[in-house]
Structures are given as C-alpha cells and as structure tokens.
Amino acid sequence: MPSYKAPVGDTLFLLTDVFDYARYDNLPGFSEAPLDVVEAVLSEGAKLAEEVLQPLNRSGDIEGCTRHADGAVTTPKGFKEAYKAFAEGGWVGIAGDPAYGGQGLPHFLALALNEFAISANQAFAMYPGLTNGATAALHTHGSDAQKKTYLPKMISGEWSGTMNLTEPQCGTDLGLIKTRAALQGDGSYAITGQKIFISSGEHDLTDNIIHLVLARIEGAPAGVKGISLFVVPKVMVRDDGSLGERNGVSCGSIEHKMGIHANSTCVMNYDSAKGWLVGEENRGLNAMFVMMNEARMGVALQGVAISEVAYQNAAAYAKERVQGRALTGARDASKPADPIIVHPDVRRMLLEIRAFNEAARAAMMWAALSSDEARRSPDAAARQSAEDRLGLLTPVLKGVFTDAGFANAVKAQQVFGGHGYIAESGMEQFVRDARINMIYEGANGIQALDLVGRKLPKDGGRAITAFFGEIAAFLSANKADAELAPYLTGLKAGSGQLQQATMWLMQNAMGNPDNAGAGSTDYMHLFGLTLLGYMWARIVKAVLAKKANGGLSEELESKLVLAKFFNERMMPEAGAHLARLSSGAGSIMAMPAAAF
C-alpha cells in the first residue's frame, strides 16, 4: 500500500530562504500569516492529508462514484465524512475573501495545502478545487446579488461549484457550443443543452452545487463572440438564502474513465434549467477564463503532486527491494542480493523525478506569490509585472508540469518492476490518475499554442522580455560567486537557447504559421527547462548562504547534488528542443492526410 508524507519542511525552506518571505510584508493578508502561523497551518494541513485523505485514495479508486436511478450520485465510502472534516476545518476558503466568510490568507498558502491534498488523494481534492475556481469567477464577474447569494456558502464549503464548458461536439473550439439560453420575463434564462466531462458535476458531499455554464443566448452572434456565462444552481435558492425546489439540471451518466474514479465526472443535462447571466452578455469566455486560469494552475499542481507521491513510494521501495548485485561488487555479502537503489539506472530514474519535483515546487510557489502580488500589491507597477509573469508562466506550468508528472509516475512505476503493474502497490493508480492532467483544462498542445501564439507577442513581448531580463540580472549579480558559478552553467545555456528559439519563431512563424504550430511543444518544454534551471539556481544560492552561516543538514546537502544532476543530465535536453523547433514544419506537414 502506498504512503505519503507532506513536504512541509521543503515548502518552508522555499518561503524563507529562496523567496525571502519578509519582502511580501507590505501585501494585505500577509500580516495575518507570519511564519509561525504558516508553519502551523501547513503542519495541520499535512496531518489532514496524510491521515484522512490518503487512506481513502485507493479504496475510492476501487469503489468509484455511483449514479442512482433518480440521477443522484454518491461518492465512495468515507468521502462524505472526509469532506465534512475538510470544510468544517476552514480549508476550502482559506484564501477566500473575508467579506464573504473567507480567511483571507495568502494564495501561496492555499497552493501549498492543495499540493498536499492532491498528493494524498487527487480525486478528492478536485471537489474543493473546482469550487474555488467557480468562486473566483463569481467574485470577479458576478453581480453583488450573486456574490451575496452564493459566495458565503461556497467559501465555507457548504456548497460546491463546477465549470461547464465541453459538449459532445466541442472541446477546445468553444465557438461550436449549442447549449441555449432563453430570456425569461423575470430576468432569468432557461438553459437547455448537454455538457460532458463535468468534474464534480453531481455528488452527495454538499447540499447544493453551483454550476457555471457557457451557453448561447438566442440571437447571439455565431462563434465565441456569442457565448455568455450563467450561474445555474442545482437547487434553487430562496430570497432568505434557504434552499427551495430542485432546478432543471441533472446527471445523465457518470463517465467511465481511465483514472480519478472517485471524482464524479458527469454528463450534465440542462432542461430549461433556471440560470442568471454572469457579467456581460456575449462576454462569457472573458468571465470563464478567470476560472480556467485558476484551474490550469491547479492542474499544473496536480502534475507536481502526483510526481511527488510517486517518487516517495518508489524511493522507499528502491531502498527495501533486494535484487541483483551492485556493478562494483556486493554491498552486503551476508545477504543474497543488494537493494536496487545501488543500480545506476534506478538512481537515474529517481533523481530525474526528484530534481523535477523540487524545482517545480519552487516554480509553483513563485507563481503563487506572483498571484498574491497581482491581487494584493498597492503598487500598480508591481501588480502589472506580477500579472505579466503569471500569464506567461501559466501555459508552461500546465503543459510542462503535467507532461513531466505523468512521465515521472511511469518512471516510479518502472522502479517497482512487475509489482508496479499490480494494483496493490498503488503505482498504477498514480499513472492512471496523472494521465488526465495532460488533457483537461486545455490539452497540452493547446497550452503550447497559447504560449507561442498569444502569450509571447502579448503587449509587444513585454512579459517574455521581463523574464529574460530577470534571468540575466540574476546571472550578472552572481557571476563573481565562485561557489555558485558551476551551478549557473545550465541556466546560462538554457536561457540562451530559449532566446534563440524565441527569435527563430519571430522570424519564421509570421510567414508560415505552421512553423509556430510545429515548434510550439518543443518551445514550451525548452521554456520549462529554463524555468526549472532558474529555480535550481535560486535554490542553490539559498543553500550556499545557509552553508556559509554554519553548515548544512543532509537534506540541504542533497539539493546541491540534485542541482548538479539537473545541470548535467536534464538541462542538455534544451539543445534537442531547439534543434527540433528550428527544423521548421516541412517534414511534419509534407505527408498528405490520406497517407496517414
């Protein structure tokens, strides 16, 4: 059976030593989160993840969700009690607006806690995760009345939320949406249509589910310009806030999925369901993108979280499983074989996973702190800079980290050998659960196109210019540090190759857009490697500062080894990405479709 230990210590190290937590003191909400409070909250969140959520992960996967004849859905045994503990502990709304009952704590803290929950039980963590995304969309675009009606109960966890985009005939191309919205005499709309792949669409964890639904108002323009967003509660809410009659929305079926069985992914039927316009008419995508961007960051975190729990179990197994002898001679002649941790290829797989995990966690924390700056900073320039960074990084984090998360789950499974293919080890569940992360909230190929086609040229390239400038400033400021210098070579090379790739796209994509499409995934992964290299450089700088002040723990010493490994064994992949990207679209587009 798999186990999990939340990385509280590593998270605190990133906050205190890598990102200089004190520099955020001027942001609203941070004064309520001094480090001792942060540590206490992280420790309690870790305890909940380890002791309540993780033990339900495999049983929930085996049992799955059940749809009954009346359309009601029940979650696996233990989930309802776990959710009650989660909601009553205030974990759903830990970063929520205090005006609606939230605790108002910084976003970075919610992100760290979410990592723990996802590692322990990804399917469970999706229920409050989707609620937070719906809350963010309503908070940004909802009317005062809508906020008053829905946000307090959603932030408290009494009600949950969903996002309803996909239909049988459209996924990425939302302009093909057919769900209709007919204006009623009381100002509401009758919503009619079908949505598929709706995570947490129907369940027994909360008394009400608040659906955010994309639909087309009768007479609206064709394509994405005619899409509006509506709030459609499962159960109608009376003027006094109490629950009334059931709305015309129901679960038609539960999708039969490869993984995340304990999350109720539903086909949702809307039969003249009563809904209310959120934001402006025909501006639904603008409102929904708030939720989608929140969700994409959450999915990026899922990639890191599954990679982390898979690593922990694979590393423990490698130290216990005896098989074969070390190539340099028996490590313990009194035993019939050595533990497989002695084998270089086993170590390679484990080091690749862990070198990713630690730098990726840092990148997620950097993004979360940027989100806090963008939302809370009193300085307009700082807010703009943070928003630029977050917008640029979001497709990279979602695309690269979920690709890596799945690949790392497979590597961890490989460490187990045949036992990794057997359900009891838990590794095959990690592989199955991790696979969806590369697909939903915008498949990773779409993330790459978004990065190259929208994020790079946005505002005249302001965000990517600032990213290159920050790395250049870091390299320049630390060029005289002889101890740090060996750890900067990979970052310097990667940054240079990323700049070459950016210039190549600028010169070759306008004349032939297929060049952008053919190179976008390689560009995204080259960007990801550079980002991870930058995080490792900052981590090593922090470790060496600790070393100068009185020695290092074994855990901190290991970070120097991991950084060296990353530079020697992982960063060189950047050159391959650049070479593939620079070859253009010729060979990709040459073969006629009929020849495939």
Side-chain angles (χ1 to χ4, degrees):
M1 290 289 289
S3 61
Y4 173 64
K5 183 70 176 176
V8 175
D10 194 54
T11 301
L12 288 169
F13 168 75
L14 291 174
L15 283 172
T16 57
D17 293 87
V18 177
F19 295 114
D20 185 18
Y21 187 64
R23 71 180 288 267
Y24 297 95
D25 281 350
N26 66 317
L27 300 186
F30 276 66
S31 60
E32 287 78 39
L35 277 172
D36 59 337
V37 170
V38 170
E39 183 172 5
V41 171
L42 290 176
S43 297
E44 284 301 307
K47 185 177 178 181
L48 180 68
E50 295 163 2
E51 298 179 6
V52 177
L53 305 186
Q54 192 277 334
L56 297 174
N57 193 43
R58 183 161 182 265
S59 62
D61 178 66
I62 294 169
E63 182 182 345
C65 295
T66 304
R67 180 187 177 275
H68 303 280
D70 62 355
V73 172
T74 53
T75 51
K77 182 180 179 181
F79 268 53
K80 198 167 184 177
E81 293 77 13
Y83 183 84
K84 182 179 180 182
F86 194 91
E88 289 181 349
W91 300 106
V92 178
I94 196 163
D97 187 343
Y100 300 101
Q103 298 182 47
L105 292 172
H107 180 65
F108 81 81
L109 190 53
L111 177 131
L113 292 165
N114 285 341
E115 182 197 336
F116 302 168
I118 295 164
S119 285
N121 193 325
Q122 176 172 327
F124 178 93
M126 290 172 67
Y127 292 103
L130 267 294
T131 301
N132 282 324
T135 299
L138 282 173
H139 191 273
T140 303
H141 291 282
S143 66
D144 289 342
Q146 289 169 349
K147 293 177 187 179
K148 181 181 178 181
T149 299
Y150 300 113
L151 292 189
K153 294 292 182 71
M154 295 173 74
I155 286 173
S156 71
E158 293 176 72
W159 297 348
S160 58
T162 72
M163 58 191 295
N164 286 238
L165 288 77
T166 308
E167 299 181 7
Q169 78 289 347
C170 75
T172 299
D173 190 355
L174 293 172
L176 300 177
I177 279 176
K178 294 181 179 179
T179 299
R180 307 185 311 277
L183 181 62
Q184 305 298 292
D186 62 357
S188 68
Y189 288 78
I191 311 297
T192 301
Q194 185 180 78
K195 300 289 184 176
I196 63 172
F197 307 159
I198 307 306
S199 300
S200 312
E202 171 64 26
H203 54 78
D204 60 348
L205 301 182
T206 59
D207 294 331
N208 205 359
I209 303 174
I210 310 306
H211 302 288
L212 292 186
V213 184
L214 288 181
R216 193 180 302 281
I217 296 174
E218 294 176 345
V224 295
K225 293 181 179 179
I227 296 174
S228 299
L229 180 65
F230 300 87
V231 56
V232 185
K234 168 184 168 179
V235 182
M236 302 299 292
V237 183
R238 300 190 181 99
D239 290 342
D240 63 0
S242 63
L243 295 179
E245 71 276 11
R246 179 69 186 259
N247 203 355
V249 53
S250 62
C251 170
S253 64
I254 296 177
E255 307 283 10
H256 298 281
K257 311 187 296 290
M258 178 179 175
I260 54 169
H261 294 153
N263 189 269
S264 53
T265 308
C266 299
V267 174
M268 300 300 296
N269 296 323
Y270 291 85
D271 185 12
S272 294
K274 199 160 193 171
W276 289 265
L277 182 68
V278 177
E280 299 177 40
E281 188 174 309
N282 300 330
R283 295 273 292 165
L285 282 187
N286 183 53
M288 184 60 91
F289 263 116
V290 173
M291 187 172 188
M292 290 174 69
N293 285 331
E294 290 264 340
R296 285 171 179 171
M297 289 293 290
V299 174
L301 190 64
Q302 288 176 344
V304 180
I306 292 294
S307 184
E308 173 64 31
V309 68
Y311 167 80
Q312 289 187 19
N313 285 274
Y317 183 81
K319 289 184 281 189
E320 296 170 357
R321 173 70 167 172
V322 293
Q323 199 87 173
R325 288 295 189 187
L327 298 176
T328 53
R331 296 297 170 88
D332 188 346
S334 67
K335 294 182 178 179
D338 291 324
I340 62 173
I341 193 70
V342 304
H343 302 307
D345 199 55
V346 171
R347 285 174 167 253
R348 173 192 62 80
M349 291 186 285
L350 292 173
L351 286 167
E352 284 176 354
I353 303 171
R354 186 168 168 185
F356 165 80
N357 290 351
E358 297 202 13
R361 180 175 298 113
M364 291 302 307
M365 184 62 68
W366 189 38
L369 289 166
S370 296
S371 179
D372 280 317
E373 283 189 284
R375 299 178 188 193
R376 301 167 183 254
S377 179
D379 185 331
R383 289 197 306 273
Q384 183 67 72
S385 177
E387 287 174 3
D388 287 351
R389 183 185 307 122
L390 202 57
L392 179 68
L393 292 183
T394 295
V396 178
L397 298 175
K398 196 283 180 182
V400 175
F401 287 12
T402 58
D403 277 354
F406 175 73
N408 289 343
V410 172
K411 289 173 191 172
Q413 183 186 41
Q414 188 74 11
V415 171
F416 275 73
H419 292 283
Y421 201 66
I422 303 302
E424 283 79 4
S425 74
M427 304 310 290
E428 59 85 35
Q429 183 188 345
F430 295 144
V431 172
R432 288 186 290 105
D433 286 353
R435 187 62 185 88
I436 185 58
N437 301 335
M438 304 160 72
I439 298 173
Y440 61 10
E441 307 309 339
N444 286 354
I446 299 300
Q447 302 301 321
L449 287 173
D450 178 49
L451 174 65
V452 169
R454 294 179 65 246
K455 300 302 172 61
L456 290 186
K458 188 174 186 291
D459 301 312
R462 186 173 67 202
I464 188 65
T465 300
F467 180 75
F468 286 138
E470 180 164 350
I471 291 177
F474 181 89
L475 291 171
S476 177
N478 293 283
K479 63 183 179 181
D481 188 333
E483 196 169 9
L484 180 60
Y487 299 97
L488 301 182
T489 54
L491 174 59
K492 187 174 182 180
S495 178
Q497 289 162 327
L498 183 59
Q499 290 182 62
Q500 290 179 58
T502 305
M503 187 61 67
W504 190 92
L505 287 172
M506 289 173 61
Q507 294 170 345
N508 294 277
M510 290 293 290
N512 181 6
D514 281 340
N515 282 328
S520 59
T521 291
D522 277 298
Y523 184 86
M524 179 178 72
H525 279 275
L526 173 52
F527 197 126
L529 279 170
T530 305
L531 173 63
L532 294 173
Y534 181 40
M535 293 299 102
W536 268 120
R538 293 185 66 167
I539 290 169
V540 170
K541 181 176 173 64
V543 170
L544 293 177
K546 274 192 168 297
K547 181 180 179 182
N549 290 328
L552 294 177
S553 65
E554 182 178 338
E555 184 176 353
L556 289 178
E557 285 278 8
S558 71
K559 293 184 186 297
L560 300 179
V561 177
L562 287 165
K564 187 171 187 291
F565 175 88
F566 179 85
N567 277 304
E568 293 177 352
R569 306 283 302 203
M570 296 173 72
M571 196 55 141
E573 294 171 15
H577 289 304
L578 176 61
R580 285 195 292 265
L581 180 152
S582 302
S583 70
S587 61
I588 288 180
M589 303 306 295
M591 189 181 293
F596 278 85

